[in-house]
Amino acid sequence: MYDLLKKNSAFFFPYLLFLLIATSCLGLWGRNDISLFINGHNSSVTDFFFKYWTNVGLGYLILPVALILAFINFRFMIMSVVCFLISFGINDSIKFALHAPRPATVFEQLNQGFYHVPGVDIYSWDSFPSGHTAISFALFCLLALISNKGSAKFLFFLCAFLVGYSRIYLAEHFITDVLAASVIGVSSAIFTYILFTQSKAINKFASIDKPLIRLGGK
């Protein structure tokens, strides 16, 4: 595990730094104040960016990711689908079991106003954990693990982080929702990667280590 983290330090170092800073802020200010602070520092540019970037965390992300990976290495495509299903299953099982109130509901009960980004539908329940964040961290972490370039690994972290940040900015989730979801996503990616690279049973099928268009060929 240590070697895996070290090899992919361009992703995991900023991720661990993010966890450290976020949990420290939680201890100092609490989730409500952090959410209001992030949501309150807005502009027309960030409104536009986060309104659309947050959609990267939708489940539809698996479609282009899996398709692209299929033409690189079929094993990678299978890994992406398994990783997605694990993170989605764990995250949504917790989400619907807890049925936690979202920021809009909490702030309404506290008579606390917040900034509503124009054109964004604000939801009221099923806040913990954040589905968008779990999916984005799962898939971008997996992409970082299979990538050979440090710059790409950091870029993948940044992509996932911005999805998580967007959920707070748009007043859809608390920072606690984002933190928990990121752990679910990253854990799902690491589990999937280790399973598909170290399992003797899976490694018997050498034919999957080819692009889709070459499967079955010599």
Side-chain angles (χ1 to χ4, degrees):
M1 177 64 75
Y2 174 77
D3 290 338
L4 181 65
L5 297 178
K6 183 178 180 181
K7 181 181 178 181
N8 296 279
S9 59
F11 181 95
F12 289 111
F13 178 76
Y15 175 62
L16 293 175
L17 187 62
F18 157 64
L19 292 181
L20 177 62
I21 294 174
T23 52
S24 298
C25 290
L26 266 174
L28 292 172
W29 294 292
R31 67 171 195 173
N32 289 2
D33 288 340
I34 294 173
S35 293
L36 290 171
F37 177 82
I38 293 176
N39 172 254
H41 285 74
N42 51 70
S43 69
S44 58
V45 174
T46 51
D47 283 359
F48 178 83
F49 175 76
F50 287 123
K51 175 182 176 180
Y52 292 102
W53 183 257
T54 199
N55 293 323
V56 171
L58 289 171
Y60 300 121
L61 177 63
I62 184 60
L63 298 177
V65 169
L67 181 62
I68 292 171
L69 290 177
F71 288 94
I72 298 175
N73 187 306
F74 195 68
R75 180 192 296 259
F76 294 163
M77 189 215 75
I78 300 173
M79 288 168 64
S80 68
V81 174
V82 171
C83 181
F84 167 78
L85 291 175
I86 292 174
S87 61
F88 177 80
I90 295 174
N91 193 85
D92 278 37
S93 295
I94 298 173
K95 178 192 289 286
F96 295 125
L98 296 180
H99 195 52
R102 294 198 183 220
T105 301
V106 172
F107 294 146
E108 182 180 357
Q109 294 171 347
L110 296 173
N111 293 317
Q112 171 66 59
F114 65 93
Y115 177 64
H116 180 188
V117 176
V120 174
D121 294 328
I122 301 294
Y123 297 97
S124 301
W125 297 94
D126 299 325
S127 185
F128 183 91
S130 164
H132 286 66
T133 305
I135 290 173
S136 61
F137 267 95
L139 295 181
F140 282 121
C141 180
L142 183 65
L143 289 174
L145 290 172
I146 63 181
S147 173
N148 294 320
K149 296 183 178 180
S151 57
K153 295 177 189 292
F154 176 75
L155 180 61
F156 289 139
F157 163 75
L158 188 61
C159 289
F161 169 78
L162 289 174
V163 171
Y165 187 89
S166 74
R167 304 311 290 161
I168 306 172
Y169 180 93
L170 298 174
E172 296 286 9
H173 288 282
F174 293 106
I175 191 172
T176 45
D177 308 333
V178 169
L179 281 172
S182 75
V183 172
I184 292 172
V186 169
S187 299
S188 299
I190 293 174
F191 172 80
T192 302
Y193 182 82
I194 292 177
L195 175 66
F196 276 82
T197 56
Q198 299 184 14
S199 171
K200 293 181 179 179
I202 295 177
N203 286 332
K204 291 181 180 179
F205 300 96
S207 60
I208 65 174
D209 288 315
K210 297 178 181 180
L212 180 63
I213 56 175
R214 291 179 55 194
L215 283 178
K218 295 182 179 181

